[in-house]
Amino acid sequence: MTPRWTTAVLDTELLGGWAVARGPDGFLIDGNGPLFPREWLKRQELPVLAEHGIGHLDGEPVYLLELECPAQVEGCHWQGLRAFMLEGDHTLYRVLAYAAQIGTWAREHRYCGSCARLMVQVPRERAMHCVVCEMRSYPRISPSMIVLITRGDEVLLARSPRFVAGVYSTLAGFAEPGESAEECLVREVREEVQLEVRNIQYMGSQCWPFPHSMMLGFHAEYAGGDIVPQADEIEDAQWFNVHRLPPLPASRSIARYLIDLYVARRLGLAEPVLPG
Ligand SMILES: NC(=O)c1ccc[n+]([C@@H]2O[C@H](COP(=O)([O-])OP(=O)(O)OC[C@H]3O[C@@H](n4cnc5c(N)ncnc54)[C@H](O)[C@@H]3O)[C@@H](O)[C@H]2O)c1
Ligand SMILES: [Mg+2]
Ligand SMILES: [Zn+2]
């Protein structure tokens, strides 16, 4: 089956296609959603910082208008990326997730990080180029590991003070230079709850565009230690029986997938599918 959405670097000089507009409050939407006829959207006098050709949706070119500041369009409002992740068409969310990452990256790489001069977009490539010192910047992706630790019928879940009230999730953390995903896992688990793990198994990955993480999902078994939550980072961490789980993260997150998969295997239920 042909994928509905494929990324591409499109020429912004060409006319037509769809466009999405992204400002500080998310994406512009009306009753038909966030995709607008591009030529119409460009006539709305939006404060456009940059335009990027980002790919094809059902064969049609899609562009991003990245805005400089908040704006208003009659009959439209703004919706954050998280709301698109939580509900609605998943392919559309993937288009917007990509648009958000390209918009953020290009915005944050207008100036060369090496010599501080203005950068220019490289034609036909997703890169910013400094004509003075030749440095190139490519879209930024931050590898992060996420792990479900289990002990028989029990799973270890924790709360960050940033979470929605009551929700518990798997442990996660950004990889540091010099470490593998597995080493990151062992370090983060020690830092966040002071436990030791064994039988580390890679389960799958997910793009997490908040703002540019690549989640590498693992399962690990408890090997030793008593839970000591990390001050400031972990508000609470507990072992939960698979029959008595607390409120869990959003169903499209890899955190939720790792939990649902373990519970399904433990209880002999149908296995969930990891959303891309
Ligand atoms: N998709 C999911 O199911 C899911 C679930 C949990 C966490 N996450 C994501 O995983 C990522 C890591 O989780 P965490 O927040 O617990 O990380 P963490 O445990 O490493 O702690 C967060 C801290 O890391 C530092 N930090 C921020 N950005 C960084 C970067 N790019 N590189 C290195 N350090 C950075 C900051 O000091 C921040 O306070 C976050 O993006 C989070 O949103 C995704
Ligand atoms: Mg963490
Ligand atoms: Zn430079």
PDB file of all heavy atoms in Angstrom, residues 82 140 142 144 146 162 169-170 172-175 188 192 206 208 210 212-213 215 233 253-256, ligand 1:
ATOM      1  N   ARG A  82      -0.096  18.842  20.596  1.00  0.00           N
ATOM      2  CA  ARG A  82      -0.513  17.764  21.495  1.00  0.00           C
ATOM      3  C   ARG A  82      -1.974  17.361  21.288  1.00  0.00           C
ATOM      4  O   ARG A  82      -2.323  16.190  21.352  1.00  0.00           O
ATOM      5  CB  ARG A  82      -0.311  18.160  22.963  1.00  0.00           C
ATOM      6  CG  ARG A  82       1.033  17.729  23.473  1.00  0.00           C
ATOM      7  CD  ARG A  82       1.271  18.144  24.894  1.00  0.00           C
ATOM      8  NE  ARG A  82       2.705  18.131  25.138  1.00  0.00           N
ATOM      9  CZ  ARG A  82       3.383  17.061  25.531  1.00  0.00           C
ATOM     10  NH1 ARG A  82       2.767  15.926  25.756  1.00  0.00           N
ATOM     11  NH2 ARG A  82       4.688  17.116  25.700  1.00  0.00           N
ATOM     12  N   ARG A 140      17.421  18.707  13.966  1.00  0.00           N
ATOM     13  CA  ARG A 140      17.922  18.177  15.234  1.00  0.00           C
ATOM     14  C   ARG A 140      16.972  17.099  15.751  1.00  0.00           C
ATOM     15  O   ARG A 140      15.758  17.301  15.807  1.00  0.00           O
ATOM     16  CB  ARG A 140      17.983  19.336  16.219  1.00  0.00           C
ATOM     17  CG  ARG A 140      18.430  18.951  17.584  1.00  0.00           C
ATOM     18  CD  ARG A 140      18.568  20.206  18.429  1.00  0.00           C
ATOM     19  NE  ARG A 140      18.796  19.849  19.814  1.00  0.00           N
ATOM     20  CZ  ARG A 140      18.670  20.704  20.812  1.00  0.00           C
ATOM     21  NH1 ARG A 140      18.308  21.955  20.578  1.00  0.00           N
ATOM     22  NH2 ARG A 140      18.909  20.323  22.038  1.00  0.00           N
ATOM     23  N   SER A 142      16.763  14.406  19.147  1.00  0.00           N
ATOM     24  CA  SER A 142      17.383  14.070  20.435  1.00  0.00           C
ATOM     25  C   SER A 142      16.997  12.656  20.850  1.00  0.00           C
ATOM     26  O   SER A 142      15.845  12.410  21.236  1.00  0.00           O
ATOM     27  CB  SER A 142      16.928  15.057  21.506  1.00  0.00           C
ATOM     28  OG  SER A 142      17.223  16.371  21.107  1.00  0.00           O
ATOM     29  N   SER A 144      16.221   9.598  23.017  1.00  0.00           N
ATOM     30  CA  SER A 144      15.823   9.436  24.418  1.00  0.00           C
ATOM     31  C   SER A 144      15.411   7.987  24.610  1.00  0.00           C
ATOM     32  O   SER A 144      14.790   7.404  23.724  1.00  0.00           O
ATOM     33  CB  SER A 144      14.615  10.310  24.738  1.00  0.00           C
ATOM     34  OG  SER A 144      14.826  11.636  24.320  1.00  0.00           O
ATOM     35  N   ILE A 146      13.237   5.092  26.756  1.00  0.00           N
ATOM     36  CA  ILE A 146      12.059   4.966  27.619  1.00  0.00           C
ATOM     37  C   ILE A 146      11.931   3.493  27.958  1.00  0.00           C
ATOM     38  O   ILE A 146      12.120   2.637  27.098  1.00  0.00           O
ATOM     39  CB  ILE A 146      10.809   5.563  26.929  1.00  0.00           C
ATOM     40  CG1 ILE A 146       9.588   5.459  27.833  1.00  0.00           C
ATOM     41  CG2 ILE A 146      10.524   4.940  25.570  1.00  0.00           C
ATOM     42  CD1 ILE A 146       8.495   6.464  27.461  1.00  0.00           C
ATOM     43  N   ARG A 162       5.639  17.334  36.282  1.00  0.00           N
ATOM     44  CA  ARG A 162       5.083  17.970  35.067  1.00  0.00           C
ATOM     45  C   ARG A 162       3.856  17.235  34.526  1.00  0.00           C
ATOM     46  O   ARG A 162       3.145  17.749  33.670  1.00  0.00           O
ATOM     47  CB  ARG A 162       6.140  17.997  33.943  1.00  0.00           C
ATOM     48  CG  ARG A 162       7.425  18.717  34.290  1.00  0.00           C
ATOM     49  CD  ARG A 162       8.384  18.748  33.103  1.00  0.00           C
ATOM     50  NE  ARG A 162       8.941  17.443  32.784  1.00  0.00           N
ATOM     51  CZ  ARG A 162      10.052  16.948  33.338  1.00  0.00           C
ATOM     52  NH1 ARG A 162      10.697  17.647  34.241  1.00  0.00           N
ATOM     53  NH2 ARG A 162      10.501  15.755  33.007  1.00  0.00           N
ATOM     54  N   SER A 169       3.713   6.994  34.624  1.00  0.00           N
ATOM     55  CA  SER A 169       4.251   6.528  33.342  1.00  0.00           C
ATOM     56  C   SER A 169       5.563   5.778  33.546  1.00  0.00           C
ATOM     57  O   SER A 169       6.043   5.626  34.667  1.00  0.00           O
ATOM     58  CB  SER A 169       4.450   7.737  32.421  1.00  0.00           C
ATOM     59  OG  SER A 169       4.857   7.324  31.142  1.00  0.00           O
ATOM     60  N   THR A 170       6.112   5.330  32.421  1.00  0.00           N
ATOM     61  CA  THR A 170       7.399   4.622  32.430  1.00  0.00           C
ATOM     62  C   THR A 170       8.521   5.642  32.627  1.00  0.00           C
ATOM     63  O   THR A 170       8.316   6.838  32.451  1.00  0.00           O
ATOM     64  CB  THR A 170       7.574   3.930  31.074  1.00  0.00           C
ATOM     65  OG1 THR A 170       7.297   4.907  30.052  1.00  0.00           O
ATOM     66  CG2 THR A 170       6.614   2.780  30.907  1.00  0.00           C
ATOM     67  N   ALA A 172      11.921   7.652  31.596  1.00  0.00           N
ATOM     68  CA  ALA A 172      12.498   8.092  30.323  1.00  0.00           C
ATOM     69  C   ALA A 172      13.608   9.089  30.591  1.00  0.00           C
ATOM     70  O   ALA A 172      13.673   9.676  31.673  1.00  0.00           O
ATOM     71  CB  ALA A 172      11.422   8.735  29.450  1.00  0.00           C
ATOM     72  N   GLY A 173      14.462   9.279  29.607  1.00  0.00           N
ATOM     73  CA  GLY A 173      15.530  10.273  29.754  1.00  0.00           C
ATOM     74  C   GLY A 173      16.340  10.413  28.482  1.00  0.00           C
ATOM     75  O   GLY A 173      16.392   9.498  27.660  1.00  0.00           O
ATOM     76  N   PHE A 174      16.961  11.569  28.336  1.00  0.00           N
ATOM     77  CA  PHE A 174      17.768  11.863  27.147  1.00  0.00           C
ATOM     78  C   PHE A 174      19.116  11.152  27.204  1.00  0.00           C
ATOM     79  O   PHE A 174      19.761  11.116  28.252  1.00  0.00           O
ATOM     80  CB  PHE A 174      18.024  13.363  27.043  1.00  0.00           C
ATOM     81  CG  PHE A 174      16.793  14.165  26.738  1.00  0.00           C
ATOM     82  CD1 PHE A 174      16.100  14.830  27.744  1.00  0.00           C
ATOM     83  CD2 PHE A 174      16.310  14.248  25.442  1.00  0.00           C
ATOM     84  CE1 PHE A 174      14.959  15.575  27.468  1.00  0.00           C
ATOM     85  CE2 PHE A 174      15.172  14.986  25.154  1.00  0.00           C
ATOM     86  CZ  PHE A 174      14.497  15.645  26.161  1.00  0.00           C
ATOM     87  N   ALA A 175      19.548  10.639  26.057  1.00  0.00           N
ATOM     88  CA  ALA A 175      20.885  10.038  25.972  1.00  0.00           C
ATOM     89  C   ALA A 175      21.928  11.144  26.067  1.00  0.00           C
ATOM     90  O   ALA A 175      21.726  12.249  25.556  1.00  0.00           O
ATOM     91  CB  ALA A 175      21.036   9.294  24.651  1.00  0.00           C
ATOM     92  N   GLU A 188      19.766   6.246  33.713  1.00  0.00           N
ATOM     93  CA  GLU A 188      18.533   6.954  34.057  1.00  0.00           C
ATOM     94  C   GLU A 188      17.751   6.216  35.156  1.00  0.00           C
ATOM     95  O   GLU A 188      17.185   6.838  36.046  1.00  0.00           O
ATOM     96  CB  GLU A 188      17.641   7.128  32.817  1.00  0.00           C
ATOM     97  CG  GLU A 188      18.122   8.212  31.856  1.00  0.00           C
ATOM     98  CD  GLU A 188      17.834   9.636  32.340  1.00  0.00           C
ATOM     99  OE1 GLU A 188      17.009   9.830  33.247  1.00  0.00           O
ATOM    100  OE2 GLU A 188      18.463  10.558  31.795  1.00  0.00           O
ATOM    101  N   GLU A 192      16.899   7.992  38.570  1.00  0.00           N
ATOM    102  CA  GLU A 192      15.511   8.371  38.861  1.00  0.00           C
ATOM    103  C   GLU A 192      14.879   7.553  39.982  1.00  0.00           C
ATOM    104  O   GLU A 192      14.023   8.058  40.700  1.00  0.00           O
ATOM    105  CB  GLU A 192      14.659   8.304  37.578  1.00  0.00           C
ATOM    106  CG  GLU A 192      15.133   9.353  36.555  1.00  0.00           C
ATOM    107  CD  GLU A 192      14.194   9.586  35.395  1.00  0.00           C
ATOM    108  OE1 GLU A 192      13.284   8.767  35.173  1.00  0.00           O
ATOM    109  OE2 GLU A 192      14.383  10.604  34.692  1.00  0.00           O
ATOM    110  N   GLN A 206       9.675   5.580  18.512  1.00  0.00           N
ATOM    111  CA  GLN A 206       8.614   6.515  18.139  1.00  0.00           C
ATOM    112  C   GLN A 206       9.185   7.928  18.066  1.00  0.00           C
ATOM    113  O   GLN A 206       9.940   8.328  18.952  1.00  0.00           O
ATOM    114  CB  GLN A 206       7.509   6.470  19.207  1.00  0.00           C
ATOM    115  CG  GLN A 206       6.345   7.391  18.938  1.00  0.00           C
ATOM    116  CD  GLN A 206       5.299   7.351  20.047  1.00  0.00           C
ATOM    117  OE1 GLN A 206       5.606   7.594  21.192  1.00  0.00           O
ATOM    118  NE2 GLN A 206       4.060   7.047  19.679  1.00  0.00           N
ATOM    119  N   TRP A 208       8.893  11.651  18.776  1.00  0.00           N
ATOM    120  CA  TRP A 208       8.163  12.404  19.816  1.00  0.00           C
ATOM    121  C   TRP A 208       8.508  13.881  19.617  1.00  0.00           C
ATOM    122  O   TRP A 208       9.519  14.372  20.136  1.00  0.00           O
ATOM    123  CB  TRP A 208       8.585  11.888  21.199  1.00  0.00           C
ATOM    124  CG  TRP A 208       7.719  12.365  22.317  1.00  0.00           C
ATOM    125  CD1 TRP A 208       8.089  13.221  23.339  1.00  0.00           C
ATOM    126  CD2 TRP A 208       6.353  12.030  22.562  1.00  0.00           C
ATOM    127  NE1 TRP A 208       7.032  13.423  24.183  1.00  0.00           N
ATOM    128  CE2 TRP A 208       5.948  12.710  23.729  1.00  0.00           C
ATOM    129  CE3 TRP A 208       5.415  11.238  21.892  1.00  0.00           C
ATOM    130  CZ2 TRP A 208       4.659  12.605  24.247  1.00  0.00           C
ATOM    131  CZ3 TRP A 208       4.134  11.141  22.415  1.00  0.00           C
ATOM    132  CH2 TRP A 208       3.778  11.810  23.581  1.00  0.00           C
ATOM    133  N   PHE A 210       8.151  16.798  20.682  1.00  0.00           N
ATOM    134  CA  PHE A 210       7.894  17.792  21.737  1.00  0.00           C
ATOM    135  C   PHE A 210       9.180  18.163  22.454  1.00  0.00           C
ATOM    136  O   PHE A 210       9.324  17.840  23.630  1.00  0.00           O
ATOM    137  CB  PHE A 210       6.833  17.254  22.701  1.00  0.00           C
ATOM    138  CG  PHE A 210       5.553  16.850  22.030  1.00  0.00           C
ATOM    139  CD1 PHE A 210       5.267  15.521  21.805  1.00  0.00           C
ATOM    140  CD2 PHE A 210       4.646  17.808  21.599  1.00  0.00           C
ATOM    141  CE1 PHE A 210       4.093  15.153  21.168  1.00  0.00           C
ATOM    142  CE2 PHE A 210       3.467  17.447  20.963  1.00  0.00           C
ATOM    143  CZ  PHE A 210       3.183  16.118  20.749  1.00  0.00           C
ATOM    144  N   HIS A 212      11.757  17.602  19.898  1.00  0.00           N
ATOM    145  CA  HIS A 212      12.465  16.843  18.841  1.00  0.00           C
ATOM    146  C   HIS A 212      13.088  15.566  19.394  1.00  0.00           C
ATOM    147  O   HIS A 212      14.263  15.280  19.156  1.00  0.00           O
ATOM    148  CB  HIS A 212      13.531  17.707  18.161  1.00  0.00           C
ATOM    149  CG  HIS A 212      14.270  18.627  19.100  1.00  0.00           C
ATOM    150  ND1 HIS A 212      15.006  18.188  20.177  1.00  0.00           N
ATOM    151  CD2 HIS A 212      14.341  19.983  19.127  1.00  0.00           C
ATOM    152  CE1 HIS A 212      15.509  19.235  20.810  1.00  0.00           C
ATOM    153  NE2 HIS A 212      15.119  20.327  20.198  1.00  0.00           N
ATOM    154  N   SER A 213      12.312  14.786  20.154  1.00  0.00           N
ATOM    155  CA  SER A 213      12.864  13.538  20.701  1.00  0.00           C
ATOM    156  C   SER A 213      12.620  12.367  19.761  1.00  0.00           C
ATOM    157  O   SER A 213      11.650  12.365  18.988  1.00  0.00           O
ATOM    158  CB  SER A 213      12.216  13.205  22.050  1.00  0.00           C
ATOM    159  OG  SER A 213      12.642  14.104  23.032  1.00  0.00           O
ATOM    160  N   MET A 215      12.142   8.559  20.617  1.00  0.00           N
ATOM    161  CA  MET A 215      12.022   7.653  21.760  1.00  0.00           C
ATOM    162  C   MET A 215      12.439   6.239  21.364  1.00  0.00           C
ATOM    163  O   MET A 215      11.909   5.672  20.405  1.00  0.00           O
ATOM    164  CB  MET A 215      10.571   7.617  22.268  1.00  0.00           C
ATOM    165  CG  MET A 215       9.970   8.972  22.633  1.00  0.00           C
ATOM    166  SD  MET A 215      10.954   9.944  23.783  1.00  0.00           S
ATOM    167  CE  MET A 215      11.075   8.843  25.173  1.00  0.00           C
ATOM    168  N   GLU A 233      12.819  15.553  40.127  1.00  0.00           N
ATOM    169  CA  GLU A 233      12.436  14.927  38.856  1.00  0.00           C
ATOM    170  C   GLU A 233      11.270  13.950  39.017  1.00  0.00           C
ATOM    171  O   GLU A 233      10.403  13.867  38.149  1.00  0.00           O
ATOM    172  CB  GLU A 233      13.624  14.162  38.266  1.00  0.00           C
ATOM    173  CG  GLU A 233      14.654  15.032  37.574  1.00  0.00           C
ATOM    174  CD  GLU A 233      14.126  15.644  36.285  1.00  0.00           C
ATOM    175  OE1 GLU A 233      13.501  14.922  35.493  1.00  0.00           O
ATOM    176  OE2 GLU A 233      14.334  16.850  36.096  1.00  0.00           O
ATOM    177  N   SER A 253       1.023   7.204  22.840  1.00  0.00           N
ATOM    178  CA  SER A 253       2.428   7.353  23.255  1.00  0.00           C
ATOM    179  C   SER A 253       3.091   5.986  23.351  1.00  0.00           C
ATOM    180  O   SER A 253       2.440   4.972  23.614  1.00  0.00           O
ATOM    181  CB  SER A 253       2.501   8.059  24.605  1.00  0.00           C
ATOM    182  OG  SER A 253       1.909   7.239  25.599  1.00  0.00           O
ATOM    183  N   ILE A 254       4.403   5.964  23.167  1.00  0.00           N
ATOM    184  CA  ILE A 254       5.127   4.697  23.289  1.00  0.00           C
ATOM    185  C   ILE A 254       5.135   4.234  24.749  1.00  0.00           C
ATOM    186  O   ILE A 254       5.179   3.031  25.027  1.00  0.00           O
ATOM    187  CB  ILE A 254       6.552   4.784  22.691  1.00  0.00           C
ATOM    188  CG1 ILE A 254       7.189   3.388  22.615  1.00  0.00           C
ATOM    189  CG2 ILE A 254       7.424   5.769  23.431  1.00  0.00           C
ATOM    190  CD1 ILE A 254       8.472   3.323  21.818  1.00  0.00           C
ATOM    191  N   ALA A 255       5.035   5.179  25.685  1.00  0.00           N
ATOM    192  CA  ALA A 255       4.955   4.805  27.107  1.00  0.00           C
ATOM    193  C   ALA A 255       3.739   3.891  27.308  1.00  0.00           C
ATOM    194  O   ALA A 255       3.823   2.812  27.910  1.00  0.00           O
ATOM    195  CB  ALA A 255       4.824   6.057  27.970  1.00  0.00           C
ATOM    196  N   ARG A 256       2.606   4.317  26.771  1.00  0.00           N
ATOM    197  CA  ARG A 256       1.372   3.557  26.917  1.00  0.00           C
ATOM    198  C   ARG A 256       1.478   2.211  26.189  1.00  0.00           C
ATOM    199  O   ARG A 256       1.021   1.170  26.681  1.00  0.00           O
ATOM    200  CB  ARG A 256       0.206   4.382  26.363  1.00  0.00           C
ATOM    201  CG  ARG A 256      -1.133   3.699  26.460  1.00  0.00           C
ATOM    202  CD  ARG A 256      -1.480   3.383  27.941  1.00  0.00           C
ATOM    203  NE  ARG A 256      -2.818   2.866  28.017  1.00  0.00           N
ATOM    204  CZ  ARG A 256      -3.915   3.617  28.185  1.00  0.00           C
ATOM    205  NH1 ARG A 256      -3.813   4.927  28.313  1.00  0.00           N
ATOM    206  NH2 ARG A 256      -5.093   3.071  28.233  1.00  0.00           N
TER     207      ARG A 256
HETATM  208  N1  LIG B   1       6.428   9.288  23.899  1.00  0.00           N
HETATM  209  C1  LIG B   1       6.338   8.956  25.176  1.00  0.00           C
HETATM  210  O1  LIG B   1       5.598   8.038  25.538  1.00  0.00           O
HETATM  211  C2  LIG B   1       7.181   9.662  26.207  1.00  0.00           C
HETATM  212  C3  LIG B   1       7.033   9.342  27.557  1.00  0.00           C
HETATM  213  C4  LIG B   1       7.870   9.941  28.491  1.00  0.00           C
HETATM  214  C5  LIG B   1       8.804  10.887  28.089  1.00  0.00           C
HETATM  215  N2  LIG B   1       8.883  11.233  26.771  1.00  0.00           N
HETATM  216  C6  LIG B   1       9.880  12.218  26.328  1.00  0.00           C
HETATM  217  O2  LIG B   1      11.182  11.710  26.553  1.00  0.00           O
HETATM  218  C7  LIG B   1      12.085  12.775  26.655  1.00  0.00           C
HETATM  219  C8  LIG B   1      13.008  12.543  27.832  1.00  0.00           C
HETATM  220  O3  LIG B   1      12.274  12.369  29.029  1.00  0.00           O
HETATM  221  P1  LIG B   1      12.544  13.214  30.369  1.00  0.00           P
HETATM  222  O4  LIG B   1      11.912  14.552  30.204  1.00  0.00           O
HETATM  223  O5  LIG B   1      12.151  12.360  31.510  1.00  0.00           O
HETATM  224  O6  LIG B   1      14.140  13.448  30.303  1.00  0.00           O
HETATM  225  P2  LIG B   1      15.243  13.435  31.479  1.00  0.00           P
HETATM  226  O7  LIG B   1      14.918  12.411  32.498  1.00  0.00           O
HETATM  227  O8  LIG B   1      16.572  13.358  30.790  1.00  0.00           O
HETATM  228  O9  LIG B   1      15.089  14.831  32.229  1.00  0.00           O
HETATM  229  C9  LIG B   1      14.666  16.036  31.647  1.00  0.00           C
HETATM  230  C10 LIG B   1      15.788  17.072  31.775  1.00  0.00           C
HETATM  231  O10 LIG B   1      16.761  16.807  30.766  1.00  0.00           O
HETATM  232  C11 LIG B   1      17.327  18.023  30.317  1.00  0.00           C
HETATM  233  N3  LIG B   1      17.145  18.122  28.852  1.00  0.00           N
HETATM  234  C12 LIG B   1      16.185  18.737  28.145  1.00  0.00           C
HETATM  235  N4  LIG B   1      16.363  18.582  26.817  1.00  0.00           N
HETATM  236  C13 LIG B   1      17.482  17.836  26.682  1.00  0.00           C
HETATM  237  C14 LIG B   1      18.173  17.307  25.566  1.00  0.00           C
HETATM  238  N5  LIG B   1      17.735  17.530  24.300  1.00  0.00           N
HETATM  239  N6  LIG B   1      19.263  16.552  25.792  1.00  0.00           N
HETATM  240  C15 LIG B   1      19.677  16.314  27.039  1.00  0.00           C
HETATM  241  N7  LIG B   1      19.067  16.775  28.152  1.00  0.00           N
HETATM  242  C16 LIG B   1      17.968  17.525  27.971  1.00  0.00           C
HETATM  243  C17 LIG B   1      16.633  19.145  31.050  1.00  0.00           C
HETATM  244  O11 LIG B   1      17.419  19.492  32.144  1.00  0.00           O
HETATM  245  C18 LIG B   1      15.337  18.483  31.510  1.00  0.00           C
HETATM  246  O12 LIG B   1      14.809  19.078  32.661  1.00  0.00           O
HETATM  247  C19 LIG B   1      11.232  14.053  26.757  1.00  0.00           C
HETATM  248  O13 LIG B   1      11.215  14.663  25.477  1.00  0.00           O
HETATM  249  C20 LIG B   1       9.850  13.513  27.063  1.00  0.00           C
HETATM  250  O14 LIG B   1       8.822  14.348  26.567  1.00  0.00           O
HETATM  251  C21 LIG B   1       8.102  10.620  25.817  1.00  0.00           C
END
